[in-house]
């Protein structure tokens, strides 16, 4: 009698056969080439992140003094003066009162070329339409330019003397209008020499740019 487990089809493997089979690892290890590629990709991504968060390189030069910083800021400034501001200024120069004043100020005490170029700069900052400017705005801007740039404040009184004579009645109103003019400019009343020269270069043949105080004999 042949026992069922003695049949070749039903032969049970021996215990030694179990131990002789290779053991399957629980975690499959990727080939070395895949590991290397992953390491390369990881390093590339780390480099990209490093470049993303790395601060911008510092320039080779360094600002050591406030004077140098001021010059750098001036070079980066973009002028807001537009052709219509030059046009309205040129038109006001033909006004009889303005023309008489410029003729009267022979020694250029309050109306040399730099102070006049500041008038154009103030016109560009005040935010008024071109048709709104009147001769009074010219004198307000010129007074403010002298107030900002001139160490000697006495010549400013020449503007009052020319406009009102010896009367003091209109001066408070003038100062009130001056305050409103400054406020309309957003309190931006400082004008650099570079901007003044840029304004003069727009129309270098304009006759008022010959009013150079340094050339007076």
């Amino acid at each position: 009698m042949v026992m069922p487990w003695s049949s070749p089809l039903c032969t049970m493997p021996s215990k030694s056969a179990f131990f002789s089979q290779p053991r399957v690892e629980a975690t499959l290890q990727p080939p070395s080439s895949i590991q290397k590629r992953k390491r390369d990709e990881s390093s590339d991504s780390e480099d990209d992140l490093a470049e993303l968060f790395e601060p911008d390189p510092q320039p080779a030069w360094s600002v050591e003094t406030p004077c140098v910083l001021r010059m750098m800021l001036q070079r980066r400034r973009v002028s807001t003066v537009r052709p219509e501001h030059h046009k309205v200024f040129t038109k006001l120069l033909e006004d009889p009162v303005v023309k008489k004043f410029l003729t009267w100020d022979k020694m250029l005490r309050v109306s040399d070329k730099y102070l006049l170029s500041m008038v154009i700069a103030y016109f560009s900052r005040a935010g008024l339409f071109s048709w709104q400017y009147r001769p009074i705005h010219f004198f307000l801007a010129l007074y403010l330019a002298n107030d900002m740039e001139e160490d000697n404040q006495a010549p400013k009184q020449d503007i009052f003397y020319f406009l009102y004579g010896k009367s003091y009645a209109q001066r408070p109103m003038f100062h009130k209008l001056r305050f409103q003019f400054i406020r309309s400019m957003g309190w931006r009343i400082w004008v650099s020499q570079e901007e003044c020269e840029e304004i003069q270069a727009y129309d270098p043949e304009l006759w008022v740019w010959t009013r150079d105080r340094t050339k007076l004999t």
Side-chain angles (χ1 to χ4, degrees):
M1 179 177 178
V2 178
M3 300 301 293
W5 54 79
S6 64
S7 172
L9 298 177
C10 298
T11 304
M12 295 293 291
S14 63
K15 185 181 294 186
S16 61
F18 279 106
F19 290 103
S20 63
Q21 295 296 326
R23 181 178 299 178
V24 179
E25 297 292 336
T27 303
L28 296 177
Q29 297 294 334
S32 58
S33 60
I34 298 179
Q35 293 179 354
K36 180 178 181 182
R37 184 167 63 252
K38 287 185 176 181
R39 286 196 299 268
D40 295 340
E41 292 175 354
S42 176
S43 61
D44 292 341
S45 62
E46 290 176 357
D47 293 341
D48 295 339
L49 289 175
E51 293 178 359
L52 181 62
F53 292 101
E54 183 179 2
D56 295 334
Q58 296 297 326
W61 47 266
S62 60
V63 178
E64 297 180 354
T65 62
C67 180
V68 176
L69 177 59
R70 181 177 175 181
M71 293 173 62
M72 294 296 299
L73 293 176
Q74 288 177 7
R75 283 198 293 269
R76 294 176 182 175
R77 181 198 53 79
V78 178
S79 177
T80 59
V81 179
R82 295 185 298 224
E84 54 264 31
H85 303 131
H86 291 275
K87 185 177 180 180
V88 69
F89 174 79
T90 305
K91 183 179 179 180
L92 287 175
L93 292 179
E94 299 303 319
D95 181 84
V97 177
V98 175
K99 184 181 293 186
K100 184 178 180 180
F101 173 79
L102 295 177
T103 303
W104 176 75
D105 186 26
K106 296 180 180 180
M107 301 305 297
L108 311 182
R109 285 161 53 89
V110 291
S111 61
D112 76 329
K113 62 179 183 179
Y114 285 102
L115 296 172
L116 291 173
S117 59
M118 290 177 66
V119 172
I120 301 179
Y122 291 156
F123 283 178
S124 70
R125 301 176 186 181
L128 300 178
F129 293 107
S130 299
W131 55 268
Q132 291 179 301
Y133 285 102
R134 299 289 185 267
I136 186 60
H137 296 103
F138 174 88
F139 290 105
L140 289 171
L142 188 61
Y143 185 95
L144 181 58
N146 279 270
D147 201 22
M148 284 294 299
E149 295 297 326
E150 297 299 319
D151 295 330
N152 186 4
Q153 299 298 309
K156 291 190 307 179
Q157 304 305 315
D158 291 346
I159 298 177
F160 287 134
Y161 180 80
F162 176 85
L163 293 177
Y164 310 121
K166 296 182 180 180
S167 174
Y168 284 81
Q170 298 296 326
R171 296 191 182 189
M173 178 58 66
F174 184 93
H175 286 298
K176 181 178 179 180
L177 294 174
R178 180 176 63 91
F179 176 78
Q180 294 177 354
F181 190 70
I182 296 173
R183 188 171 58 183
S184 69
M185 293 191 295
W187 308 95
R188 295 177 296 119
I189 55 180
W190 182 78
V191 183
S192 67
Q193 181 176 346
E194 181 189 26
E195 186 173 2
C196 290
E197 294 173 351
E198 180 182 343
I199 291 172
Q200 297 168 23
Y202 177 82
D203 185 8
E205 301 301 324
L206 190 63
W207 62 273
V208 291
W209 304 143
T210 61
R211 299 173 68 87
D212 191 344
R213 192 184 303 171
T214 61
K215 295 182 180 180
L216 291 178
T217 57

